[in-house]
Amino acid sequence: REFVTQLSPTTSLLRSNSSDNEVFLVGTAHISEASAKEVTEMISLVKPQTVFVELDPARAAKLRASASNNHEDDFERSFRQVLNAFLSRGAPLPGLVGIGGQQEDMLKNGFSALYGILKRYGYVPGVEMLAAMNEASRINATLYCGDRDINDT
């Protein structure tokens, strides 16, 4: 019996050798509508009991909440915060090892601004995870969030 079957360039079927359990593993791009469509179609087709997303519960909640909000305000606020932080320090980041405090805040705000830019151009970070969460909800599957806490990464 084969334990891993490649179903598509981005999807593999993993089978247990000791039970009838199967895992459909879908590799995704975090800003890809095509990935969101593939995830939705796979969940709809397979109708699994459980759906796993690579998010911690806090990020999953934030992603769900942000799906219904306008992100322009988030982008503009984050961009201003990054700009003000750089101007107040008078120099770029000296290094990334052991950062904390203001430097860590600058990086977080910088990533937030980057995501805002991506959204303005039609790319939605996490769109495939949101699609998986929505489809899991639609078919009444159990949703597991399986990533480290946002504050640990």
Side-chain angles (χ1 to χ4, degrees):
R1 181 172 168 187
E2 214 175 318
F3 298 111
V4 177
T5 305
Q6 192 77 29
L7 299 178
S8 77
T10 59
T11 304
S12 296
L13 170 60
L14 295 83
R15 292 185 179 98
S16 170
N17 61 358
S18 61
S19 72
D20 290 333
N21 293 333
E22 297 177 321
V23 173
F24 291 82
L25 182 63
V26 181
T28 63
H30 293 310
I31 60 171
S32 168
E33 286 290 339
S35 286
K37 182 179 180 202
E38 185 176 7
V39 165
T40 299
E41 289 172 352
M42 183 60 66
I43 293 170
S44 180
L45 176 69
V46 174
K47 296 191 180 11
Q49 295 175 347
T50 304
V51 172
F52 175 93
V53 292
E54 184 194 1
L55 289 171
D56 68 293
R59 279 187 271 208
K62 186 175 180 180
L63 183 60
R64 280 187 166 149
S66 71
S68 60
N69 293 337
N70 180 344
H71 297 285
E72 285 190 34
D73 292 340
D74 291 343
F75 165 73
E76 290 168 5
R77 184 185 69 247
S78 296
F79 186 78
R80 268 195 311 278
Q81 288 172 337
V82 170
L83 182 61
N84 289 337
F86 274 108
L87 292 175
S88 69
R89 293 202 38 92
L93 294 173
L96 298 179
V97 178
I99 64 169
Q102 189 177 18
Q103 291 175 335
E104 183 177 341
D105 290 342
M106 286 169 41
L107 282 175
K108 286 179 182 177
N109 290 325
F111 278 112
S112 182
L114 173 63
Y115 288 147
I117 291 168
L118 290 171
K119 289 173 190 170
R120 280 191 173 188
Y121 286 97
Y123 299 103
V124 182
V127 68
E128 84 294 358
M129 293 189 206
L130 183 61
M133 292 187 292
N134 290 341
E135 192 64 15
S137 192
R138 189 188 72 74
I139 67 164
N140 294 316
T142 302
L143 179 69
Y144 281 100
C145 295
D147 201 357
R148 292 176 56 182
D149 185 274
I150 191 171
N151 296 314
D152 294 340
T153 58

